[in-house]
């Protein structure tokens, strides 16, 4: 895989290429393994190229990657590494953190999602709304967990982008 166009070609033809008559499908077990990192950065941009020691190797467009993986799974080739597409997307996007932060037995830190467009429109408003939402999540966690509600406002937090690797976006 060189770029998103390679993934698009595979996604568009997966059912034809890897259909039931493909020689690999004669094997007792067939699976796919993807050693690629989905990212939201543009391909070959400075942050991707400077991450790690390999000039951004294996960093690919997240939408293209998941489209390709899902096409392969629909063609009957299950994913074995790193995870099936739905689960891998949930982990790599970091959506699981805000989805599960109100489950007290999981002990996930208070987490909220901020839409990218809100940040692009007005970063100050986005930050204010995120901190207010974070305060509400903390109150709800205390309520569900039987703890003391927090006193005062939330004044700081950590921002992390989905599909980021090696602490690039923290």
């Amino acid at each position: 895989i060189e770029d998103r166009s390679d993934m698009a070609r595979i996604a568009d033809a997966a059912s034809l290429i890897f259909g039931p008559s493909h020689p690999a499908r004669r094997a007792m077990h067939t699976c796919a393994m993807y050693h690629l990192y989905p990212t939201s950065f543009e391909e070959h941009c400075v942050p991707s190229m400077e991450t790690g020691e390999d000039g951004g190797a294996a960093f690919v467009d997240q939408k293209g990657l998941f489209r390709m993986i899902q096409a392969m799974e629909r063609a009957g080739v299950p994913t074995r590494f790193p995870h099936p597409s739905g689960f891998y997307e949930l982990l790599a996007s970091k959506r699981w953190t805000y989805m599960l932060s109100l489950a007290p037995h999981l002990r996930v830190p208070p987490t909220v999602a901020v839409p990218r467009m809100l940040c692009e429109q007005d970063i100050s408003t986005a930050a204010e709304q995120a901190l207010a939402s974070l305060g509400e999540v903390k109150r709800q966690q205390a309520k569900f967990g039987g703890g003391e509600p927090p006193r005062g406002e939330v004044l700081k937090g950590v921002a992390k982008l989905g599909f980021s690797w090696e602490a690039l976006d923290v």
Side-chain angles (χ1 to χ4, degrees):
I1 302 290
E2 293 287 327
D3 58 29
R4 75 176 70 189
S5 66
D6 292 339
M7 294 183 294
R9 283 193 291 271
I10 293 171
D12 292 340
S15 62
L16 300 173
I17 298 170
F18 298 102
S21 60
H22 189 277
R25 300 299 288 277
R26 290 187 217 138
M28 186 178 249
H29 301 285
T30 304
C31 71
M33 297 191 293
Y34 304 94
H35 298 273
L36 301 169
Y37 298 101
T39 183
S40 292
F41 285 113
E42 291 184 27
E43 291 176 337
H44 310 297
C45 70
V46 173
S48 291
M49 300 304 281
E50 291 181 353
T51 300
E53 299 175 359
D54 51 12
F59 285 99
V60 296
D61 173 61
Q62 54 99 1
K63 290 179 183 174
L65 176 64
F66 289 112
R67 181 173 172 257
M68 179 185 72
I69 293 174
Q70 290 164 357
M72 292 293 292
E73 291 171 345
R74 280 192 305 274
V77 181
T79 302
R80 294 294 182 248
F81 181 86
H83 300 286
S85 61
F87 187 53
Y88 187 35
E89 188 172 13
L90 184 68
L91 292 175
S93 69
K94 300 173 183 68
R95 286 193 309 255
W96 69 272
T97 55
Y98 62 84
M99 291 172 66
L100 299 174
S101 66
L102 291 180
H105 65 286
L106 297 177
R107 299 190 181 275
V108 176
T111 310
V112 296
V114 180
R116 182 182 208 122
M117 185 53 88
L118 184 59
C119 295
E120 290 175 1
Q121 288 175 347
D122 184 0
I123 194 68
S124 296
T125 302
E128 288 172 14
Q129 289 180 0
L131 290 172
S133 297
L134 200 54
E136 183 58 32
V137 170
K138 287 183 89 166
R139 283 187 285 284
Q140 292 299 321
Q141 279 186 331
K143 178 180 168 184
F144 293 147
E148 286 287 319
R151 295 186 179 110
E153 298 177 27
V154 174
L155 301 174
K156 60 183 178 178
V158 175
K160 189 148 178 66
L161 296 177
F163 303 108
S164 61
W165 303 92
E166 298 184 14
L168 185 61
D169 303 316
V170 176

